Amino acid sequence: MTQTTSSPASAPHSEAHRDGPLPRQRRTYTIGELAKMFEVTNRTIRFYEQEGLLAPERRGQTRIYSEKDRVRLKLTLRGKRLGFSLAEIREVVMMYDAMPDGNRRQLKRLLEILANKRADLEQQLEDIRLMQLDIDDVERRARDVLASLGDEAND
């Protein structure tokens, strides 16, 4: 169910145009449309709503998501994919809301968050490398012991 708002149905299209520009159409989405668009569950979208990252309009039990909600969900999912915490995602989304085209402070903060993520990943890579060396060492020792046991090792 996609909805748009435009000029009243009683006003002919050409007449409304003569009186001034047509009102900007406002694209809205249902929870199902957003879930399908971003390949997430309705429950995921409701979770982000509960966390204050989305603020759909309510019509009875129906949630109506705006274009702003769609962009916020996109930013949230991108942040999640990059390993951002919910607090970091919220900060970036709020900055986006305040200045959609970005400003110096917003961009510097985003670069700071990205640098921190990069440092975390580099540390994780180093930890994995060291763990692989430990595994290699234990494996080598186990093979050496098996080899020293001779024929018994073939059981």
Side-chain angles (χ1 to χ4, degrees):
M1 176 178 119
T2 303
Q3 301 175 350
T4 57
T5 55
S6 60
S7 59
S10 61
H13 210 53
S14 59
E15 188 178 313
H17 185 65
R18 268 186 279 145
D19 293 339
L22 289 172
R24 185 174 169 199
Q25 293 191 343
R26 195 179 124 211
R27 176 81 162 92
T28 60
Y29 307 87
T30 65
I31 193 169
E33 287 174 325
L34 286 180
K36 185 175 180 181
M37 184 181 298
F38 292 104
E39 299 177 342
V40 296
T41 64
N42 291 6
R43 185 176 181 192
T44 297
I45 294 173
R46 287 191 298 270
F47 172 76
Y48 291 134
E49 180 183 341
Q50 182 181 3
E51 291 296 316
L53 294 166
L54 304 173
E57 181 183 325
R58 296 276 189 152
R59 292 195 191 133
Q61 293 295 317
T62 305
R63 292 169 168 89
I64 306 297
Y65 295 88
S66 66
E67 183 64 22
K68 179 179 175 179
D69 290 314
R70 186 193 68 78
V71 171
R72 289 175 72 130
L73 179 58
K74 181 179 179 178
L75 290 172
T76 298
L77 294 172
R78 182 178 295 157
K80 180 179 174 235
R81 195 173 58 250
L82 292 172
F84 286 23
S85 68
L86 278 178
E88 290 167 328
I89 291 170
R90 189 175 290 107
E91 183 179 359
V92 170
V93 166
M94 296 303 171
M95 285 189 297
Y96 175 82
D97 283 351
M99 192 69 69
D101 295 331
N103 65 23
R104 185 177 303 275
R105 183 184 62 82
Q106 174 187 359
L107 294 171
K108 282 184 175 182
R109 178 62 184 138
L110 180 59
L111 289 172
E112 185 179 297
I113 292 170
L114 291 172
N116 290 338
K117 287 296 158 212
R118 183 179 308 280
D120 290 346
L121 286 172
E122 287 171 358
Q123 181 60 56
Q124 288 174 351
L125 283 171
E126 179 62 15
D127 292 345
I128 289 169
R129 191 186 65 73
L130 292 174
M131 192 178 301
Q132 286 176 322
L133 290 174
D134 287 343
I135 288 171
D136 291 346
D137 185 51
V138 170
E139 181 182 29
R140 183 186 46 77
R141 289 179 188 198
R143 290 186 188 282
D144 289 348
V145 169
L146 274 176
S148 73
L149 294 175
D151 290 335
E152 295 175 28
N154 293 328
D155 293 339

